[in-house]
């Protein structure tokens, strides 16, 4: 099953606090975005990588150390001021309305082929499939440092990317959300909001989103483990 992947990469990494786009930070010797691009670049089912970036960072992305066969798959598009807008710009560049579209955070370099396989396999049956892991911590709702509610953990999942959609399903959700001014924190939330069903498969606890400084320690450990 062939697919295109949109990898939003136009963030500023404010929670990382590095003072520049966190995707440029190196884990061992490779920038985070390079590791993410390699996973999809090396997957033969992936026919195109659409990369929303800030125009001012163009130079960096153009000079990544990637083999030519991966570089040839990349289409650069303009990023937006919100992640949602960056993904929408990516979608806008797709001309084939029969495409299967994956959306994956540039900041998740440890996505595995197994996770991609599980998602693609369920896309035979569904129009929207995401990956997630069961929550390990007890989750409480807290207001003004006081517990308001303890939520039943057995129904709680931590959602990751990739998230897969038929082009039509994702485009309609993005168009309507933009018109209505609805902002979601992931793409599936727009699809849910638009009334479509979203199916969940198991993700991977190692498929972390590198978000804060602490995550860099975990990232190096996970990377070591992957290299064997
Ligand atoms: N992203 C994007 N366009 C934006 C904001 C985010 O393409 N306007 C991308 C990021 O580059 C990242 C992914 O969306 O690969 C997930 O976002 P997040 O982890 O929140 O990254 P940042 O927005 O860069 O970080 P922060 O929220 O801490 O500023
Ligand atoms: Mg962000």
């Amino acid at each position: 099953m062939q697919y295109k992947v949109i990898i939003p990469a136009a963030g500023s990494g404010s929670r990382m606090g590095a003072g520049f786009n966190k995707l440029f930070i190196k884990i061992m010797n490779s920038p985070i975005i390079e590791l993410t691009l390699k996973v999809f670049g090396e997957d033969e089912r992936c026919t195109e990588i659409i990369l929303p970036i800030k125009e001012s960072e163009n130079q960096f992305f153009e000079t990544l150390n990637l083999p030519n066969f991966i570089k040839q798959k990349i289409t650069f598009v303009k990023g937006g001021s919100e992640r949602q807008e960056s993904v929408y710009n990516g979608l806008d560049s797709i001309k084939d309305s029969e495409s299967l579209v994956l959306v994956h955070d540039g900041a998740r370099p440890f996505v595995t082929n197994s996770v991609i396989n599980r998602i693609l396999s369920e896309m035979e049956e569904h129009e929207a499939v995401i990956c997630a892991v069961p929550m390990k911590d007890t989750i409480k709702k807290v207001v003004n440092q006081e517990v308001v509610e303890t939520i039943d953990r057995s129904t709680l999942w931590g959602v990751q990317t990739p998230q897969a959609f038929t082009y039509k399903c994702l485009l309609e959700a993005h168009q309507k959300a933009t018109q209505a001014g609805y902002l979601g924190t992931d793409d599936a939330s727009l699809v849910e909001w638009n009334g479509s069903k979203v199916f969940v498969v198991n993700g991977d606890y190692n498929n972390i989103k590198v978000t804060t400084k602490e995550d860099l320690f975990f990232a190096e450990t996970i990377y070591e483990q992957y290299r064997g």
Side-chain angles (χ1 to χ4, degrees), residues 56-106:
S56 58
E57 294 173 349
N58 193 41
Q59 179 77 8
F60 171 85
F61 284 100
E62 297 268 6
T63 54
L64 286 173
N65 184 20
L66 291 165
N68 270 338
F69 76 94
I70 296 183
K71 284 191 172 171
Q72 280 159 7
K73 282 190 187 183
I74 300 176
T75 306
F76 292 102
V77 300
K78 203 168 161 287
S81 58
E82 301 285 344
R83 180 189 180 281
Q84 186 170 319
E85 197 187 330
S86 294
V87 174
Y88 194 13
N89 290 352
L91 256 181
D92 215 32
S93 81
I94 298 177
K95 298 291 167 254
D96 177 5
S97 64
E98 297 305 313
S99 298
L100 168 59
V101 181
L102 266 59
V103 182
H104 182 69
D105 293 320

Side-chain angles (χ1 to χ4, degrees), residues 7-16 21-23 52 79-84 86 105-107 209-211:
I7 302 184
S12 48
S14 53
R15 284 170 290 177
M16 182 62 71
N21 189 341
K22 66 183 177 183
L23 300 180
S81 58
E82 301 285 344
R83 180 189 180 281
Q84 186 170 319
S86 294
D105 293 320
K209 182 157 72 67
V210 183
T211 306

Side-chain angles (χ1 to χ4, degrees), residues 94-163:
I94 298 177
K95 298 291 167 254
D96 177 5
S97 64
E98 297 305 313
S99 298
L100 168 59
V101 181
L102 266 59
V103 182
H104 182 69
D105 293 320
R108 287 187 199 268
F110 306 116
V111 55
T112 59
N113 282 325
S114 309
V115 171
I116 298 170
N117 292 347
R118 285 198 282 277
I119 290 172
L120 292 180
S121 159
E122 288 302 334
M123 278 304 285
E124 310 259 2
E125 308 278 332
H126 305 277
E127 58 176 5
V129 177
I130 64 174
C131 58
V133 287
M135 293 305 294
K136 295 181 189 177
D137 292 321
T138 295
I139 308 287
K140 294 184 193 287
K141 185 171 176 183
V142 177
V143 178
N144 296 331
Q145 284 185 279
E146 202 176 305
V147 174
V148 178
E149 189 188 352
T150 299
I151 301 156
D152 175 14
R153 191 179 57 202
S154 66
T155 63
L156 295 178
W157 291 66
V159 170
Q160 307 178 332
T161 68
Q163 301 190 340

Side-chain angles (χ1 to χ4, degrees), residues 1-3 39-47 69 73 113:
M1 190 184 256
Q2 294 196 322
Y3 67 87
V39 178
F40 292 96
E42 286 168 3
D43 184 354
E44 283 178 3
R45 297 165 298 186
C46 174
T47 56
F69 76 94
K73 282 190 187 183
N113 282 325

